[in-house]
Amino acid sequence: MLNQFKNFFPEDLKNGKIKYYYEPFLGSGAVFFFIAQNYPIKKAFLSDINEELILTYNAVKNDVSTLIKNLKKLKRDYYSLNEKYQELFFYKHRDTYNKEKSKIDFTAYSKEWVVRAAQMIFLNKTCFNGLFSLNRKGEFNVPFGRYKNPGILNEENLLLASEVLKIAEISLTDFELIQEYITHDFFVYFDPPYRPISKTSSFTSYSKHEFNDKDQKRLAKLFKELGINGNKLMLSNSDPHNENSSDNFFENHYSDFMIEKVKASRMINCKGDKRGAINELIITNYNLGAIQ
């Protein structure tokens, strides 16, 4: 999506006038990493409500060498086993990961964060479809992936990510609290859990926290409030018109803003014939001009 997204970025980011970036639904961080490496921002503020995600990003930023050392051991131990015992190894670590959670203080950085981050990356790389999903208890619940050569450790990428993250302040917080950080001349990109486009679809199960229409409305309210002092705002979300042409949820709640459609390829669906290109929405509080 980045090849499309960059056409929607504000001109003030492209010409160097915007120095501060905020991404309150961090997720994979793909947009942050792209912006940090291609535009002259001085400082980034990154946040998410997913405590495991924020823990891992902070471990990558603060102690990548120890993280790599832990991942090397997990990789070595895993690859020394045949497939049957690799599966047992996976479930043993998944069980330990879930049981140890109660001992982790997610509010204060410690050496335990690095160990847990390594476990999280290992599970994510060896589980089914590389998913990260938690049940209502906050337990990681994705099954074993059965891959022959999962990429457990990409040392070069971790080192590069750690370097890029040096300009970032990474925090565990609800998206509404970003108002405490934003003053003026920020570029803020919102990538919330997408609103389901049908009764059987859901984009919110990566966390134990539900993100429903009430939260989507909270976000729309925040979007309106932040568009002052020269702040530039961009939001992506699902397009309800893919399934229901009369569902104008976003047109109703973002009626004062620019709404454009982009094509997205979605591969996560239990039904193969439902995978492929669909429309998604890009909403901005600035005039996009001519999209290339």
Side-chain angles (χ1 to χ4, degrees):
M1 295 296 291
L2 286 169
N3 282 331
Q4 295 185 74
F5 277 16
K6 65 184 181 182
N7 296 318
F8 293 89
F9 293 157
E11 285 300 318
D12 284 350
L13 177 69
K14 298 175 184 179
N15 62 30
K17 291 182 179 179
I18 291 177
K19 301 297 184 184
Y20 303 100
Y21 174 73
Y22 206 124
E23 191 170 337
F25 298 94
L26 182 54
S28 73
V31 175
F32 158 71
F33 284 110
F34 181 82
I35 286 176
Q37 294 176 93
N38 289 280
Y39 302 99
I41 59 171
K42 289 183 177 179
K43 182 78 174 177
F45 298 86
L46 310 174
S47 62
D48 202 285
I49 201 169
N50 185 325
E51 55 203 7
E52 304 287 4
L53 191 69
I54 294 304
L55 175 150
T56 301
Y57 273 117
N58 273 298
V60 172
K61 174 187 174 181
N62 295 320
D63 196 354
V64 70
S65 60
T66 304
L67 177 62
I68 289 171
K69 187 182 300 183
N70 279 274
L71 281 169
K72 280 182 177 178
K73 184 178 188 309
L74 284 167
K75 179 180 178 180
R76 183 175 63 250
D77 292 347
Y78 180 83
Y79 277 118
S80 70
L81 305 170
N82 62 32
E83 184 178 339
K84 176 184 176 181
Y85 286 100
Q86 284 179 346
E87 182 173 2
L88 292 173
F89 187 84
F90 171 86
Y91 283 113
K92 176 185 175 182
H93 278 272
R94 194 183 77 168
D95 187 54
T96 300
Y97 181 77
N98 288 331
K99 286 181 178 178
E100 292 291 319
K101 182 171 185 175
S102 62
K103 301 177 183 179
I104 301 295
D105 182 355
F106 289 95
T107 65
Y109 186 84
S110 67
K111 62 182 181 181
E112 284 75 22
W113 281 29
V114 183
V115 175
R116 189 164 183 83
Q119 292 175 326
M120 190 270 213
I121 293 172
F122 166 75
L123 291 172
N124 184 241
K125 295 297 185 181
T126 54
C127 71
F128 176 73
N129 256 4
L131 296 173
F132 183 84
S133 176
L134 305 177
N135 61 24
R136 292 290 180 178
K137 295 180 181 179
E139 297 172 336
F140 185 79
N141 63 352
V142 185
F144 182 57
R146 299 186 185 281
Y147 301 114
K148 290 188 179 296
N149 296 295
I152 295 170
L153 172 60
N154 185 333
E155 185 171 349
E156 180 182 7
N157 190 58
L158 283 172
L159 290 168
L160 291 170
S162 180
E163 189 62 31
V164 175
L165 285 167
K166 292 292 189 283
I167 67 165
E169 182 175 320
I170 311 167
S171 60
L172 176 68
T173 186
D174 182 77
F175 69 88
E176 278 190 309
L177 299 180
I178 72 171
Q179 294 181 88
E180 298 177 7
Y181 295 87
I182 292 178
T183 53
H184 57 83
D185 297 328
F186 270 75
F187 175 42
V188 186
Y189 169 59
F190 298 92
D191 184 24
Y194 277 19
R195 185 170 182 261
I197 58 177
S198 69
K199 292 181 180 180
T200 58
S201 67
S202 176
F203 297 93
T204 63
S205 61
Y206 81 102
S207 170
K208 62 181 178 179
H209 304 281
E210 183 182 9
F211 201 89
N212 54 29
D213 275 1
K214 181 179 178 181
D215 297 299
Q216 296 285 359
K217 291 173 184 177
R218 281 201 299 139
L219 179 55
K221 181 175 180 290
L222 176 67
F223 197 89
K224 295 175 184 176
E225 293 171 351
L226 287 179
I228 58 176
N229 298 327
N231 294 315
K232 300 294 191 297
L233 315 175
M234 174 176 161
L235 179 145
S236 56
N237 216 310
S238 58
D239 181 6
H241 292 167
N242 284 299
E243 296 284 337
N244 183 357
S245 60
S246 63
D247 186 344
N248 295 315
F249 181 89
F250 292 103
E251 285 80 3
N252 292 336
H253 291 285
Y254 292 90
S255 58
D256 296 331
F257 305 105
M258 310 293 172
I259 302 178
E260 297 284 344
K261 296 187 179 186
V262 294
K263 288 292 183 182
S265 179
R266 290 294 171 228
M267 300 308 295
I268 298 178
N269 196 305
C270 60
K271 297 181 180 180
D273 61 352
K274 294 293 185 181
R275 299 172 185 170
I278 61 171
N279 287 330
E280 291 187 1
L281 301 179
I282 297 292
I283 303 171
T284 64
N285 73 334
Y286 48 87
N287 196 323
L288 297 170
I291 300 300
Q292 302 299 316

